[in-house]
Amino acid sequence: MTTESITWFPSLAQRGASIALLDGERTLTYEELNHSVNRVIAGLLNGEHSLNEERIAFLYPASFDYAALIIGIVAAGGIAVPLSVHARADELSHCLSVAGVKRLFLPQSLRTEGLSRVCEQLSVTQCSVADLPDVAYPPSLPITGEQGALIVFTSGTTGKPKAVVHTVESVSAMVTSLIEAWGWADRDVIPLFLPLHHVHGIVNILLCALWRGATVDLFARFDAEQVSEKVAAGQYSVFMAVPTIYVKLIAYLKTLDAEAQKRITQGFAAMRLNVSGSAACPVPLFEEWEALTSQRFLERYGMTELGMALSNPYEGERRPGHVGQPLPGVVIKRVDESGNEVIDPSTPGELAVKSPTAFREYWGNPESTAKAFANGWFLTGDIAVVDKGAYRILGRASIDIIKSGGYKLSALEIEATLLEHPDVSEVAVIGIPDDEWGELVACALVVSQPLSDDALTEWAHERMSGYKVPRRWHFTDALPRNALGKVTKPSLKSWF
Ligand code: MLC
Ligand code: AMP
């Protein structure tokens, strides 16, 4: 860890009139972004010298304010806590309370009664960027590498989501490593439709582009038609998405006539890079995309706690079904269940990682932090082999982690919420394979009163983000259990 001061977003000011962000018809130049960032810094500090790692949460869709907040909070010595605009009040309450947030920034449109109640209970003040005091810009403040910069929530195999703390140094390392590895240039233009409470959208797209002086086109959500139009118009040079989005794009292309299809596929073909990640890209998807667009995906592997760890090469052979080699600075070994290193490349082993991009801690949870590392190696829970020099992910060590549309979901968290239903007495959640979503959330349950799928779905929607709600329900008299009383989850798959 470096205690020396670090340059955070090196040249915002010098990039002048070049475009940093697009939002529909609106544009924001780097000069304007720099001004907004300075306003955030000055307003937050309000005469103080540093926020001293105050966790400042914000609930914004992709927007100019979001960008100014995430850069400005860190520059002012705070920890940026971007929250999910899809989250329900209970989920937000958990995040605010775990991170010890006292100030939450959000636009008027996202203020709800439920959230106001939560804020009142937790003594959190709801703020807006426009309300920040208009004070003179402070001189540029030194910030150090070890300082906390970003908290992102991630689901694990125990309890509710954990608050992953990245430092100024780990975020800077993530950004600079990808800029170098994937050849980011200031002339790049990239669309951003991924959620902005996870590292894929936050770091790989937004922060990399703004650090490098490129342009980001903001979308409130992914819409295949809207994005494809701009692709066809030749607006983008780089495209990054989760496999589900490429599946949706292919499905959309298939609804079009040959001429319209060709305009869009040529738009993709003209780009310098198409990246797939956050979940396994099936080989047939890789091949279909190449046949349509002549783009060979650059598939990479990452994790909230690590940023990106493995990547196929920008120049060189990109192998379908493989996630490439360690990025510069990343050291990887594979270990067995006893923690011994697995040497034979074809024997599966859990990926253990050391990297300058690794997180510092789970906020307020030293026990989980200690458990996540073994002798300084972060244990990912992902099982891999090495195949002619390239890593191949086989799956995860725990059946309780589900990846759906690129979101990492905890079966245990979903089960705990469903058990709050007065008529649900037993429940088991698993992921089942699905061509579009990678995995779908499926739920087997025992109920004390007859319940319909629809009623349960509606009940669940009020209490959890839409993407966590089970898509398949199976009612039973009893869940299969082993001698210790534990549900034998693998045997449930055949029910769906
Ligand atoms: C949306 N839905 C999902 C879902 N996303 N269900 C399961 N899994 C998901 N991922 C639900 C909605 O709530 C809705 O339910 C229904 O699906 C239809 O919605 P849609 O409009 O068809 O989907 P859409 O809103 O377009 O979302 C699809 C998506 C989105 C693929 C764009 O899931 C997405 O943005 N995923 C990316 C997640 C991500 O960024 N992960 C990176 C984590 S970082 P209903 O019932 O309301 O109709 C990481 C590290 C790394 O993993 O390596 O990058
Ligand atoms: P998250 O915690 O949301 O950051 O999700 C990280 C997890 O996503 C990893 O632990 C992997 O299980 C999965 N993942 C990310 N990229 C890939 C990939 N290219 N192939 C397979 N799994 C991936």
Side-chain angles (χ1 to χ4, degrees):
M1 284 287 172
T2 169
T3 49
E4 285 166 26
S5 63
I6 259 189
T7 313
W8 177 247
F9 282 78
S11 46
L12 282 189
Q14 287 94 35
R15 296 199 185 275
S18 51
I19 304 293
L21 297 163
L22 299 164
D23 186 355
E25 298 296 305
R26 297 165 61 224
T27 57
L28 192 79
T29 64
Y30 271 93
E31 202 167 26
E32 289 166 331
L33 175 61
N34 190 50
H35 173 78
S36 305
V37 168
N38 279 325
R39 240 200 108 235
V40 167
I41 299 172
L44 285 174
L45 286 173
N46 202 13
E48 299 293 321
H49 290 298
S50 168
L51 293 175
N52 293 317
E53 293 202 347
E54 178 186 344
R55 279 78 58 215
I56 306 238
F58 48 104
L59 188 62
Y60 274 84
S63 56
F64 298 164
D65 280 345
Y66 180 106
L69 280 164
I70 197 165
I71 299 174
I73 290 167
V74 182
I79 300 185
V81 188
L83 298 175
S84 165
V85 293
H86 305 292
R88 304 293 178 257
D90 278 357
E91 293 169 319
L92 293 172
S93 168
H94 168 75
C95 297
L96 293 168
S97 99
V98 166
V101 169
K102 288 296 161 218
R103 286 193 270 182
L104 166 65
F105 283 80
L106 73 174
Q108 202 58 42
S109 57
L110 291 179
R111 293 180 190 217
T112 61
E113 249 175 60
L115 183 55
S116 294
R117 252 196 314 276
V118 164
C119 288
E120 207 171 299
Q121 279 159 6
L122 298 172
S123 308
V124 172
T125 308
Q126 299 186 65
C127 317
S128 80
V129 176
D131 294 342
L132 280 170
D134 209 359
V135 286
Y137 292 171
S140 70
L141 302 152
I143 50 174
T144 63
E146 67 197 353
Q147 214 166 288
L150 179 66
I151 285 183
V152 182
F153 285 83
T154 193
S155 296
T157 47
T158 51
K160 291 191 170 181
K162 291 182 291 231
V164 176
V165 181
H166 276 285
T167 60
V168 172
E169 187 171 25
S170 67
V171 176
S172 306
M174 289 188 224
V175 168
T176 51
S177 137
L178 292 186
I179 287 176
E180 184 68 27
W182 298 346
W184 275 98
D186 53 10
R187 60 182 174 280
D188 277 325
V189 185
I190 186 168
L192 172 51
F193 38 71
L194 291 177
L196 279 173
H197 61 290
H198 283 304
V199 295
H200 195 161
I202 301 171
V203 177
N204 295 21
I205 302 179
L206 186 69
L207 297 188
C208 278
L210 296 180
W211 190 290
R212 187 61 190 84
T215 303
V216 185
D217 191 8
L218 303 171
F219 293 85
R221 61 183 295 276
F222 172 71
D223 178 317
E225 183 178 357
Q226 207 183 14
V227 171
S228 297
E229 270 315 304
K230 292 194 162 189
V231 169
Q235 300 210 351
Y236 307 128
S237 57
V238 185
F239 201 89
M240 293 187 193
V242 299
T244 300
I245 284 181
Y246 290 108
V247 173
K248 284 174 179 276
L249 282 167
I250 293 173
Y252 171 68
L253 285 170
K254 287 182 178 164
T255 65
L256 303 176
D257 63 39
E259 188 50 38
Q261 207 181 88
K262 195 167 151 206
R263 282 177 45 241
I264 298 165
T265 52
Q266 282 180 341
F268 279 107
M271 293 184 199
R272 68 168 186 86
L273 180 64
N274 285 184
V275 177
S276 172
S278 299
C281 175
V283 174
L285 176 60
F286 183 105
E287 289 170 346
E288 194 171 6
W289 192 253
E290 185 176 16
L292 280 167
T293 65
S294 59
Q295 285 283 350
R296 285 175 76 78
F297 283 136
L298 184 156
E299 184 174 3
R300 86 314 177 272
Y301 160 90
M303 203 169 171
T304 302
E305 286 89 336
L306 295 171
M308 299 304 107
L310 290 157
S311 170
N312 275 281
Y314 180 56
E315 303 205 34
E317 192 203 0
R318 298 181 192 164
R319 274 161 61 198
H322 293 71
V323 289
Q325 292 80 28
L327 281 156
V330 178
V331 188
I332 294 203
K333 67 176 181 177
R334 293 171 313 115
V335 295
D336 64 20
E337 279 171 7
S338 318
N340 299 316
E341 184 165 0
V342 176
I343 304 294
D344 171 28
S346 61
T347 302
E350 178 179 355
L351 292 174
V353 179
K354 280 188 182 175
S355 171
T357 60
F359 75 127
R360 183 177 77 187
E361 62 182 321
Y362 297 114
W363 186 268
N365 194 343
E367 237 173 65
S368 294
T369 308
K371 262 199 216 147
F373 291 91
N375 300 319
W377 292 86
F378 175 71
L379 299 169
T380 61
D382 291 307
I383 310 295
V385 290
V386 187
D387 176 6
K388 291 187 230 99
Y391 283 78
R392 187 152 61 84
I393 310 290
L394 300 179
R396 286 175 300 274
S398 169
I399 196 167
D400 287 323
I401 295 293
I402 301 167
K403 262 265 156 171
S404 181
Y407 281 115
K408 184 177 181 182
L409 310 175
S410 158
L412 304 183
E413 185 196 345
I414 299 171
E415 288 165 6
T417 303
L418 293 171
L419 279 171
E420 288 170 16
H421 191 294
D423 301 327
V424 172
S425 38
E426 289 180 51
V427 62
V429 165
I430 56 167
I432 52 170
D434 182 81
D435 285 346
E436 183 177 0
W437 298 95
E439 285 182 298
L440 271 187
V441 179
C443 175
L445 66 173
V446 180
V447 290
S448 53
Q449 303 250 24
L451 282 173
S452 69
D453 291 12
D454 287 349
L456 265 171
T457 302
E458 198 185 322
W459 184 90
H461 255 289
E462 284 165 17
R463 289 160 179 84
M464 56 179 98
S465 305
Y467 50 81
K468 296 181 187 170
V469 175
R471 298 296 188 87
R472 303 273 186 278
W473 302 96
H474 179 93
F475 296 91
T476 179
D477 292 336
L479 295 173
R481 292 180 187 272
N482 64 18
L484 298 170
K486 208 169 169 288
V487 177
T488 50
K489 286 196 172 182
S491 69
L492 298 181
K493 296 213 171 185
S494 64
W495 288 1
F496 297 96

